[in-house]
Amino acid sequence: MSVKRQFPRWSSIKPMLGWSWPTFQRRDRGLERALTVSDLRDLSAKRVPRSVFDYVEGGALQELSIQRAKDAFKRVEFRPRVLTGVANVDLTTTILGKSTSMPIIFAPTGYSRMMHYRGEYAVASSAARNDLIYSLSTMGTVSPEDLVGATPGGRKWFQLYLWQNRDQSRDFIQQAKRAGFEALVLTVDTPVSGQRLRDTRNGLTVPPKITMKTFLNMSTKPKWWANMLTTPPLEFAAMRGYDRSLFELAQLIFDPTVTMKDIPWLQKEWGGPLIVKGVQTVEDALALKKLGVQGIVLSNHGGRQMDRGTVPLEILPEVRAAVGKSMEIYIDGSVLNGGDVLAAVALGANAALIGRPYLYGLMAAGEAGVDRMSDIFRLEMDNTMKLLGVGKTSDLGPQHVRLRSH
C-alpha cells in the first residue's frame, strides 16, 4: 500500500526546530543550556578567574578525599521496583521537625561574595524561594543581621567555629540568636586549616599574596572585576568590629583545644538545636548522641581539611545503625546530582548538604544560577524516584540501593 505524499505543514515543522524567533528579552543562553551540575561547573570556570574557581573546586594536598567521595557515589547501584504505579513523586522531607521541599541543605561556605558580588544574599534568596535551608558561615561575607534583613523569609542555620576566646564565640552566637537563626552548626574538623595547595599557588592565602600569573588571569574577567571594584570590599562580616588583621583573625578562628566537654557549654549558650559537622567515626557519633546533640553531619569538609579522610557515604550505614533513629544524620562531600541525594537518604541520611553545586551556579549566573541548580537536582530526583518505583522520599531504604565493590 502506497503512502500519500503531501506538502509539509508549519505546525508539524515548528516542534522540530531547535531555535526560536529573536526577542528583546535578556537571556542567558549558557545557563539555559546547563542540564547538569557538571554543565554549571564548566560554565562557571569560564566566567570567574581561575583562582576563584580553584578555591571552590580544590581540596587539601593531593585531593584524594574529594576523588574518593566521588568514586563512592559512582559505586551506587539502585534497585528499582517495577509495576508500583508511581505517577507523582513527593520529594518533601522533615528536618528538625519542619517540612522542606527536598532532602537538601545549602552548606555553609566562606567568601561567597568572591564567587559573585551578591554572594550570600543571592544564595539565601534562592534557598528561601525553593523552600530549602541555607547555612551561613562564620567566614561568610555577609553578617547574620544583614542577611536576615535582606532575605527575611526561609529557614536559616548559622555555622560556628569555636574560638579560643569563648567571649568572642558567645558574641557570634548572640548575633545568630538575635537574627532568628533556627539552628547552630558547630564545625569540628578544623583544629587547624588544611593545606590547600591550589590556593597557595594562586596566592589566596591570609594575608593574600597574589602572583603575577593570577593577577593576569583575573584581568581577563572584566565583568567579575567590575562587580568586585564597585561593591563593598570582602570581609568576614560576622567579625566586623574586631580590630585585627586577617592573618590574626585566621589564627583565632581555629581552636585545636576544643573537646567534647565544650558541647554542654555551647548547648547552654545557644539554647536551640545544635548540629555538629565534621563527624567521621561511629565512636564520635555515639559520644555526641549521649550529649543530646540533635544532629550530626558526616563530613570530611569536602576534602578541604585532612586529605585521605573518611568517605562519608561509606560510613553512613554503620553510623545510622549505631545511633538509631533518634538523631538526625546529614552527609556532605561530592553530592553532585539528585541520584547522590537519594542514595544518601536510602542509606540512612535525613538530608544531604551541598556546597560546590550551588557555588558553581553562583559563579555561573548569580541567583539565577543557584535557582538553576535547584531545578536540576529536583528534576533528577523526580525522574530517579519514578524509575525506582518509590513515591515518597520517606519510603526510601537500604532495599533500594547498594554500594558495589568496584
Side-chain angles (χ1 to χ4, degrees):
M1 182 177 179
S2 62
V3 178
K4 184 179 179 180
R5 294 184 180 276
Q6 63 183 24
F7 286 106
R9 298 177 181 177
W10 173 246
S11 60
S12 300
I13 297 174
K14 184 179 179 182
M16 296 187 291
L17 298 178
W19 50 268
S20 58
W21 297 111
T23 74
F24 293 102
Q25 295 179 338
R26 288 189 63 185
R27 296 173 61 180
D28 188 335
R29 297 191 182 277
L31 185 61
E32 291 176 354
R33 288 192 291 267
L35 303 179
T36 66
V37 167
S38 180
D39 292 339
L40 288 177
R41 173 190 177 277
D42 294 344
L43 184 61
S44 69
K46 297 175 182 177
R47 295 185 172 182
V48 299
R50 177 61 183 268
S51 57
V52 175
F53 179 80
D54 278 352
Y55 178 81
V56 173
E57 183 78 354
L61 296 174
Q62 301 176 68
E63 301 184 355
L64 294 174
S65 288
I66 297 176
Q67 190 57 54
R68 288 174 180 176
K70 291 179 179 178
D71 290 343
F73 280 110
K74 288 179 181 178
R75 292 194 295 115
V76 167
E77 179 178 275
F78 287 116
R79 305 181 65 192
R81 299 299 305 271
V82 298
L83 302 175
T84 58
V86 176
N88 298 299
V89 168
D90 181 6
L91 295 177
T92 62
T93 192
T94 301
I95 298 175
L96 293 183
K98 299 178 182 178
S99 177
T100 188
S101 66
M102 294 185 284
I104 288 175
I105 299 166
F106 283 19
T109 59
Y111 279 134
S112 295
R113 283 189 51 245
M114 183 171 67
M115 322 316 167
H116 185 272
Y117 73 99
R118 291 197 63 237
E120 288 87 352
Y121 293 127
V123 181
S125 179
S126 176
R129 184 165 47 256
N130 287 281
D131 189 23
L132 297 170
I133 297 169
Y134 173 67
S135 309
L136 177 65
S137 171
T138 300
M139 298 178 72
T141 46
V142 172
S143 71
E145 293 89 347
D146 289 346
L147 184 70
V148 172
T151 58
R155 299 173 65 183
K156 296 178 178 66
W157 294 357
F158 184 74
Q159 178 271 333
L160 176 73
Y161 293 105
L162 203 54
W163 284 30
Q164 297 176 35
N165 185 327
R166 294 297 185 260
D167 288 337
Q168 291 172 323
S169 295
R170 185 182 288 112
D171 178 55
F172 298 143
I173 293 170
Q174 292 303 316
Q175 286 186 52
K177 288 178 71 171
R178 287 194 303 268
F181 279 66
E182 173 186 329
L184 190 69
V185 182
L186 174 66
T187 297
V188 295
D189 56 6
T190 54
V192 295
S193 180
Q195 293 176 272
R196 300 166 195 167
L197 302 185
R198 293 199 203 197
D199 293 346
T200 301
R201 293 184 179 116
N202 288 326
L204 290 187
T205 57
V206 179
K209 297 178 181 178
I210 304 297
T211 64
M212 180 58 68
K213 181 180 178 181
T214 299
F215 177 79
L216 291 175
N217 177 260
M218 287 182 171
S219 68
T220 65
K221 312 295 178 182
K223 184 176 180 180
W224 181 88
W225 263 119
N227 287 328
M228 271 291 152
L229 294 174
T230 58
T231 54
L234 293 175
E235 62 174 344
F236 294 144
M239 306 172 200
R240 190 177 296 150
Y242 287 96
D243 188 19
R244 304 286 185 91
S245 70
L246 282 177
F247 179 78
E248 290 174 307
L249 286 173
Q251 297 298 309
L252 293 172
I253 289 170
F254 307 120
D255 182 2
T257 70
V258 176
T259 70
M260 290 283 179
K261 295 179 180 179
D262 292 294
I263 298 297
W265 175 85
L266 193 58
Q267 290 170 314
K268 182 179 179 182
E269 289 293 329
W270 173 244
L274 176 64
I275 296 154
V276 177
K277 179 177 180 290
V279 177
Q280 299 182 62
T281 65
V282 171
E283 293 81 4
D284 287 340
L286 288 171
L288 290 165
K289 178 185 177 181
K290 188 175 181 180
L291 289 170
V293 168
Q294 282 79 6
I296 57 173
V297 184
L298 300 181
S299 170
N300 59 26
H301 214 96
R304 296 168 64 80
Q305 282 298 107
M306 184 177 68
D307 205 9
R308 306 172 192 263
T310 303
V311 178
L313 187 70
E314 293 179 347
I315 66 166
L316 173 58
E318 184 182 4
V319 174
R320 174 53 78 192
V323 303
K325 296 182 178 180
S326 62
M327 172 186 278
E328 296 200 359
I329 299 176
Y330 318 113
I331 184 175
D332 78 357
S334 296
V335 180
L336 298 175
N337 62 63
D340 295 343
V341 176
L342 298 180
V345 172
L347 290 172
N350 294 84
L353 273 70
I354 57 172
R356 287 186 178 94
Y358 79 68
L359 290 179
Y360 293 146
L362 184 67
M363 290 188 291
E367 189 171 329
V370 183
D371 284 341
R372 183 64 171 167
M373 181 232 53
S374 294
D375 291 341
I376 288 170
F377 268 90
R378 185 177 291 104
L379 179 61
E380 289 172 341
M381 292 171 66
D382 182 88
N383 183 258
T384 302
M385 289 278 285
K386 288 175 180 175
L387 292 172
L388 268 175
V390 181
K392 298 187 295 184
T393 53
S394 57
D395 291 336
L396 287 169
Q399 69 273 21
H400 296 114
V401 66
R402 73 184 181 102
L403 292 180
R404 296 173 60 89
S405 57
H406 300 290

